[in-house]
């Protein structure tokens, strides 16, 4: 055992060494004479894919210093009560806080939480934002020296003038103007508490959200966090006797709603959404913080092609002008479009449409939005899962010529043969858009006419987890998946337009998947920032599975609900989609060179909740084969002008025919030969599968909603099941089915699952 003399000697020596190190550090570290680069912000410059400049934005000049007298006492009290109650008594550093920060750093965690207001002022004014041990020690010693040179009011004034409040606002004066349109000295007690809450991190406390920069920073989550911290700060001010009872009750009575985001110079039209998408990509693929990025100085080269962006905008505006008239119809108000276009085998986002523009007060990027169900555009993932994994009844992959019951109002079976039950233990019935008695039809035909019941049962037979896995490997993000109930097969999930275009690009690329990307390089002070190599290409599904999905989706355009896309005049594949209560309508389609998705929906501008589109455009309901397909076709014509038509790879026959339970014994007929193996694309089938009269030819299509005189709107159209895709029939034929769900039938009988009927 060591003697007490040895132990005490070691302790004294250790403490003496610490004092010596601290003394040397204090002597060696001086207060810089100039402010750091964080206080001298620049623009970020964005470039088109061809290298030409798109916009210079994000200037950090939105900062005006004000004296302590012009900063409301409530603002000073708010930050002190929230962040550093001993500010006026301490030496400028918090030893225990520093110890916690160093311990966190040693564990590889966050170093935040160990800083006084003086330390934060020093970091903002003199140091970089890097989280390193050396910077932390510099911060400590400089803070001690600053505390001896400046009085507390000067330090507090400097802190409030250099802090970042989000939306490009540096300092309390810029923040007051940005969030409330007034000078700092006119802020109320309640507004001061709100701005003080932002100092904890505007990414998470700005109620306007951050448009996907961080998946947890949604409008709803940010609003909740903001209100909670705002209320907590007011409570702390009251507890610290900074607010009287009367002042506290007045301040806490109503949340001080800030102004919405405003467009900055050069960010009008689609430019704001392009820059927004590129910014998110940069922040998610580098160590650059939002605060650092907004200080500027970055050169960002994007994947966006100006001619294609212009073409997509023109397509939306043209079709919107033809069919949407909010001055004439109230139900045409608040209609939104979102679209994205991606290169297969690459993932580059070449164009997107995010909305009306920042200058119109629309700051949500509709191309990268969440919460808009995709409807029947999800069915190809169900089919792909069946062709890759088979069903619980098959020995291997399932052929798309397998037959499933397409009749309306069907019970759905579990794998053990029992029926799916609702919460009240009564059977769940799946609905189609119309009550047409299809009988047992092939999955190919069910996709062509977007019949719901076969795909719900197929999803149950394949396993919804397998469907989910195929969609995820194709490019759909985990956060957008809905609950794995029967309606999952019909598109209750809510991926963005960007992700849907990218996932369909996987089919176009024969199963090869590349994550979507919008930035090819980032430079800062002439040096490349790492992290912006092209995404790796992987084989998401067997090549022949993807090619067979493409073959089935080609038929959707040739003979089914996507016939409005025939006017593109080149080989293409795609799928229409409409959701329950007609709250959204989609068309996602592709050629070998380009995959594009178009979403249409109505949204309450106050609550951001989806509204029904029944009655929009002066028609009973909107379907994916209507306006979205017209936008898609208009854009693709321009985007592919002058390009060759390479077609798609010829698929090999896949899987075995394994009909669903209850199907009649299959009798091979010439109609069972896939169109890819016959020269004709016109489907023929048994009487139980299709009408016996001839299928309409492309010349029968007469534009939006088909020809009224030839069985379009009146005889084969929306009054008797819809004409999604402009399907036309002769008056003597049975009525054609619509694309997808979204009628009162689906809504009323959707049961516990409440999902889209297509």
């Amino acid at each position: 055992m060591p003697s007490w003399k040895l132990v005490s000697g070691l302790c004294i020596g250790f403490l003496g060494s610490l004092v010596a190190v601290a003394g040397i550090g204090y002597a060696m570290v001086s207060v810089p004479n100039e402010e750091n680069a964080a206080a001298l912000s620049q623009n970020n410059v964005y470039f088109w894919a061809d290298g030409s400049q798109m916009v210079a934005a994000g200037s950090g000049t939105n900062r005006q210093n004000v004296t302590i007298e012009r900063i409301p006492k409530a603002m000073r009290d708010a930050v002190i009560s929230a962040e550093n109650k001993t500010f006026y008594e301490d030496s400028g550093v918090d030893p225990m806080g520093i110890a916690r920060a160093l311990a966190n750093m040693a564990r590889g965690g966050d170093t935040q939480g160990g800083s006084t207001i003086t330390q934060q002022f020093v970091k903002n004014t003199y140091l970089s934002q890097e989280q390193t041990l050396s910077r932390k020690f510099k911060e400590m010693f400089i803070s001690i020296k600053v505390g001896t040179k400046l009085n507390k009011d000067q330090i507090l004034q400097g802190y409030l003038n250099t802090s970042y409040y989000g939306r490009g606002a540096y300092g309390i004066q810029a923040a007051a103007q940005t969030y409330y349109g007034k000078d700092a000295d006119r802020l109320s007690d309640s507004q001061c508490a709100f701005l003080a809450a932002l100092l904890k991190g505007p990414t998470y406390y700005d109620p306007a959200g951050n448009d996907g920069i961080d998946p947890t920073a949604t409008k709803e989550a940010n609003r909740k966090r903001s209100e909670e911290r705002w209320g907590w700060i007011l409570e702390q001010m009251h507890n610290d006797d900074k607010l009287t009872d009367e002042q506290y009750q007045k301040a806490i009575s109503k949340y001080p709603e800030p102004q919405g985001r405003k467009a900055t110079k050069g960010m009008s039209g689609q430019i704001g959404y392009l820059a927004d998408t590129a910014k998110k990509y940069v922040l998610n693929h580098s160590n650059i913080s939002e605060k650092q990025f907004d200080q500027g100085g970055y050169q960002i080269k994007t994947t966006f092609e100006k001619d294609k962006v212009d073409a997509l905008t023109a397509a939306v505006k043209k079709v919107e002008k033809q069919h949407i008239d909010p001055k004439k119809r109230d139900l045409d108000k608040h209609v939104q479009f979102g679209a994205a276009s991606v290169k297969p085998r690459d993932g580059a986002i070449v164009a997107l449409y995010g909305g009306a523009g920042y200058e119109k007060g629309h700051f949500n990027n509709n191309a990268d939005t969440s919460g808009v169900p995709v409807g029947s555009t999800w069915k190809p993932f169900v089919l792909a899962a069946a062709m890759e994994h088979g069903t619980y009844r098959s020995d291997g992959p399932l052929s798309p010529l397998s037959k499933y019951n397409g009749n309306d109002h069907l019970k759905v079976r579990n794998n053990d043969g029992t029926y799916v039950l609702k919460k009240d233990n009564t059977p769940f019935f799946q609905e189609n858009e119309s009550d047409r008695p299809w009988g047992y039809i092939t999955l190919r035909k069910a996709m062509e006419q977007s019949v719901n019941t076969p795909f719900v049962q197929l999803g149950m037979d394949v396993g919804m987890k397998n469907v989910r896995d195929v969609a995820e490997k194709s490019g759909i993000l985990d956060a957008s998946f809905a609950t794995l109930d029967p309606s999952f097969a019909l598109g209750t999930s809510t991926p963005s337009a960007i992700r849907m275009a990218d996932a369909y690009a996987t089919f176009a690329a024969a199963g090869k998947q590349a994550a979507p990307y919008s930035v090819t390089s980032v430079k800062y002070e002439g040096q490349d920032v790492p992290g912006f190599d092209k995404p790796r290409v992987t084989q998401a599904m067997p090549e022949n599975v993807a090619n067979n999905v493409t073959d089935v989706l080609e038929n959707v355009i040739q003979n089914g609900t996507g016939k409005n896309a025939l006017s593109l005049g080149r080989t293409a594949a795609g799928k229409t989609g409409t959701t329950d209560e007609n709250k959204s309508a989609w068309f996602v389609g592709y050629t070998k060179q380009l995959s594009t998705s178009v979403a249409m929906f109505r949204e309450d501008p106050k609550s951001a909740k989806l509204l029904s589109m029944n009655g929009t455009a002066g028609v009973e309901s909107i379907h994916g084969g209507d306006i979205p397909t017209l936008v898609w076709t208009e854009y693709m014509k321009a985007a592919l002008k002058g390009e060759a038509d390479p077609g798609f790879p010829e698929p090999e026959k896949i899987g075995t025919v394994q009909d669903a339970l209850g199907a009649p014994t299959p009798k091979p007929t010439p109609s069972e030969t896939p169109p890819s193996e016959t020269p004709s694309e016109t489907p023929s089938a048994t009487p139980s599968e299709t009408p016996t009269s001839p299928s309409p030819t492309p010349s029968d299509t007469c534009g939006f909603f088909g020809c009224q005189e030839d069985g379009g709107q009146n005889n084969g159209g929306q009054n008797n099941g819809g004409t999604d895709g402009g399907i036309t029939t002769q008056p003597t034929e049975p009525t054609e089915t619509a694309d997808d769900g979204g009628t009162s039938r689906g809504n009323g009988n959707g049961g516990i699952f409440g999902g889209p009927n297509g």
Side-chain angles (χ1 to χ4, degrees):
M1 293 290 291
S3 68
W4 67 269
K5 290 182 179 181
L6 179 60
V7 172
S8 60
L10 289 172
C11 290
I12 292 171
F14 177 71
L15 292 173
S17 299
L18 285 180
V19 172
V21 169
I24 294 170
Y26 184 82
M28 292 182 63
V29 175
S30 59
V31 179
N33 293 322
E34 296 181 356
E35 293 181 334
N36 62 9
L40 304 172
S41 305
Q42 309 170 59
N43 280 334
N44 289 320
V45 183
Y46 296 85
F47 298 91
W48 295 103
D50 65 4
S52 59
Q53 183 171 316
M54 179 195 302
V55 68
S59 172
T61 56
N62 186 17
R63 171 185 169 190
Q64 305 91 39
N65 290 342
V66 291
T67 61
I68 194 75
E69 293 79 15
R70 292 183 59 196
I71 300 174
K73 183 176 182 300
M75 188 67 205
R76 292 175 262 163
D77 291 338
V79 296
I80 291 171
S81 290
E83 299 186 32
N84 189 182
K85 290 180 183 290
T86 62
F87 171 69
Y88 278 104
E89 291 79 38
D90 63 39
S91 63
V93 295
D94 176 8
M96 294 303 295
I98 292 174
R100 286 194 303 272
L102 293 177
N104 286 340
M105 188 181 296
R107 292 194 297 266
D110 189 2
T111 62
Q112 297 299 318
S115 297
T116 63
I117 285 176
T118 303
Q119 287 174 265
Q120 292 180 65
F121 164 63
V122 166
K123 182 174 65 175
N124 290 345
T125 308
Y126 301 113
L127 300 174
S128 69
Q129 300 298 311
E130 62 179 346
Q131 301 291 347
T132 62
L133 196 62
S134 62
R135 200 231 71 200
K136 200 71 182 173
F137 274 112
K138 282 184 180 179
E139 175 190 301
M140 178 176 67
F141 291 128
I142 293 174
S143 297
I144 294 172
K145 288 193 172 184
V146 165
T148 64
K149 292 185 176 182
L150 302 177
N151 64 44
K152 291 293 185 177
D153 281 349
Q154 289 174 316
I155 293 172
L156 185 58
Q157 172 185 298
Y159 170 61
L160 291 172
N161 277 328
T162 58
S163 293
Y164 183 59
Y165 295 79
R167 303 191 192 181
Y170 289 84
I172 184 61
Q173 173 65 13
Q177 287 290 346
T178 297
Y179 287 92
Y180 292 108
K182 60 171 68 172
D183 289 333
D185 56 8
R186 294 178 55 232
L187 291 168
S188 68
D189 295 347
S190 185
Q191 290 168 340
C192 287
F194 169 85
L195 294 176
L198 291 173
L199 295 175
K200 190 172 177 65
T203 298
Y204 300 98
Y205 290 88
D206 181 353
N210 281 269
D211 299 328
I213 290 171
D214 187 289
T216 64
T218 62
K219 283 186 176 182
E220 295 78 10
N222 279 22
R223 175 63 178 253
K224 182 179 180 181
R225 281 189 286 257
S226 175
E227 288 192 18
E228 288 176 352
R229 186 158 178 82
W230 161 77
W232 178 82
I233 290 174
L234 288 174
E235 183 180 15
Q236 295 302 304
M237 294 171 69
H238 183 231
N239 293 342
D240 295 341
D241 296 325
K242 304 299 184 183
L243 292 176
T244 66
D245 291 346
E246 183 180 353
Q247 288 172 326
Y248 173 69
Q249 292 301 327
K250 180 180 179 182
I252 201 73
S253 64
K254 186 178 181 181
Y255 179 74
E257 197 71 47
Q259 297 177 347
R261 294 177 181 269
K262 299 181 180 69
T264 55
K265 183 179 179 182
M267 301 291 273
S268 59
Q270 296 306 301
I271 299 298
Y273 307 118
L274 299 175
D276 164 75
T277 302
K279 174 182 177 179
K280 284 187 286 187
Y281 191 86
V282 170
L283 298 184
N284 287 329
H285 291 81
S286 69
N287 293 322
I288 302 169
S289 69
E290 185 179 10
K291 180 178 179 179
Q292 289 173 301
F293 188 86
D294 286 348
Q295 287 164 357
Y298 296 93
Q299 293 83 47
I300 304 102
K301 186 176 181 182
T302 74
T303 59
F304 304 124
E305 299 179 17
K306 188 176 187 303
D307 59 338
K308 289 183 173 62
V309 171
D310 291 344
L312 185 53
T313 302
V316 172
K317 296 303 180 185
K318 178 179 178 180
V319 176
E320 189 176 35
K321 184 178 180 180
Q322 290 172 342
H323 301 290
I324 306 299
D325 189 352
K327 294 181 180 179
K328 183 179 178 181
R329 292 180 293 267
D330 284 343
L331 290 171
D332 284 10
K333 292 179 180 178
H334 314 311
V335 171
Q336 302 286 337
F337 290 91
S341 195
V342 172
K343 284 185 178 179
R345 295 178 184 267
D346 184 279
I349 308 169
V350 297
L352 57 79
Y353 181 84
Y358 286 7
E359 72 278 14
K360 300 288 181 64
H362 185 82
F363 290 90
N364 292 331
N365 185 351
N366 290 348
D368 198 21
T369 192
S370 60
V372 182
V374 296
S376 280
T377 58
W378 197 257
K379 289 173 181 174
F381 300 123
V382 183
L383 182 61
M387 290 194 289
E388 182 174 355
H389 300 287
T391 71
Y392 76 99
R393 296 176 58 243
S394 65
D395 295 329
L398 199 70
S399 167
L401 296 179
S402 301
K403 290 185 177 181
Y404 271 68
N405 195 336
N407 288 338
D408 185 38
H409 195 64
L410 286 186
K411 294 178 183 179
V412 180
R413 292 181 184 272
N414 294 303
N415 288 355
D416 61 5
T418 61
Y419 290 117
V420 174
L421 302 178
K422 297 185 291 186
K423 289 182 179 179
D424 61 2
N425 287 325
T426 59
F428 165 68
F429 289 89
Q430 179 57 51
E431 312 295 335
N432 292 326
E433 168 120 359
S434 75
D435 58 2
R436 173 173 177 166
W438 286 99
Y440 280 83
I441 55 174
T442 65
L443 295 171
R444 178 183 178 85
K445 185 67 179 179
M447 186 77 77
E448 173 194 302
Q449 297 298 327
S450 205
V451 187
N452 293 334
T453 47
F455 284 97
V456 172
Q457 188 58 63
L458 178 65
M460 296 297 293
D461 292 352
V462 172
M464 295 299 179
K465 185 180 183 303
N466 284 331
V467 175
R468 174 196 164 105
D469 289 346
V470 166
E472 187 169 23
K473 288 178 181 177
S474 299
I476 303 300
L477 293 178
D478 177 76
S480 63
F481 287 119
T483 304
L484 300 186
D485 58 32
S487 294
F488 181 77
L490 300 181
T492 49
S493 297
T494 58
S496 67
I498 291 173
R499 285 288 168 174
M500 284 302 286
D502 183 66
Y504 270 51
T506 304
F507 298 137
K512 291 182 173 60
Q513 206 282 324
Y517 68 102
S518 58
V519 174
T520 56
S521 70
V522 176
K523 291 182 181 294
Y524 185 75
E525 295 183 346
Q527 300 297 313
D528 284 320
V529 177
F532 298 98
D533 295 330
K534 278 189 178 184
R536 187 168 60 93
V537 178
T538 61
Q539 192 72 36
M541 65 182 70
E543 183 175 321
N544 200 38
V545 169
N547 291 342
N548 270 275
V549 170
T550 293
D551 182 66
V552 171
L553 297 187
E554 279 188 87
N555 185 54
V556 171
I557 291 177
Q558 291 292 327
N559 302 296
T561 59
K563 289 185 74 173
N564 269 332
L566 279 172
S567 61
L568 177 62
R570 63 172 64 227
T571 307
K575 184 70 187 77
T576 54
T578 311
T579 56
D580 197 29
E581 297 183 39
N582 206 206
K583 288 184 177 179
S584 61
W586 290 73
F587 185 76
V588 189
Y590 54 92
T591 64
K592 197 170 183 180
Q593 305 105 313
L594 210 54
S595 176
T596 302
S597 66
V598 179
M600 177 182 176
F601 55 95
R602 286 183 70 224
E603 185 180 65
D604 186 314
K606 293 183 178 179
S607 67
K609 292 182 178 179
L610 295 183
L611 305 171
S612 174
M613 290 191 292
N614 289 334
T616 297
V619 297
E620 186 176 342
S621 60
I622 298 293
H623 294 92
D626 304 332
I627 293 176
T629 305
L630 296 178
V631 171
W632 183 91
T633 307
E634 188 74 23
Y635 162 70
M636 293 290 275
K637 283 180 181 178
L640 296 171
K641 187 175 181 180
E643 297 279 345
D645 182 3
F648 295 113
E650 192 73 17
E652 298 177 7
K653 183 178 179 181
I654 192 169
T656 58
V657 174
Q658 179 71 59
D659 297 335
L661 287 171
T665 303
K667 297 179 180 180
T669 68
S671 65
E672 293 300 318
T673 306
S676 60
E677 299 178 300
T678 66
S680 172
E681 279 295 320
T682 304
S684 58
T686 60
S688 64
E689 181 174 336
T690 62
T692 56
S693 52
S695 297
T697 61
S699 62
D700 291 328
T701 304
C702 300
F704 190 52
F705 294 124
C707 300
Q708 293 188 6
E709 293 182 358
D710 292 327
Q713 183 168 352
N714 294 330
N715 291 308
Q718 64 181 53
N719 293 336
N720 287 308
T723 62
D724 199 353
I727 299 172
T728 60
T729 64
Q730 297 302 318
T732 56
E733 289 183 342
T735 56
E736 292 286 334
T737 187
D739 165 42
D740 321 300
T743 66
S744 58
R745 173 187 296 279
N747 185 36
N749 296 302
I752 55 173
F753 302 106
N757 292 319

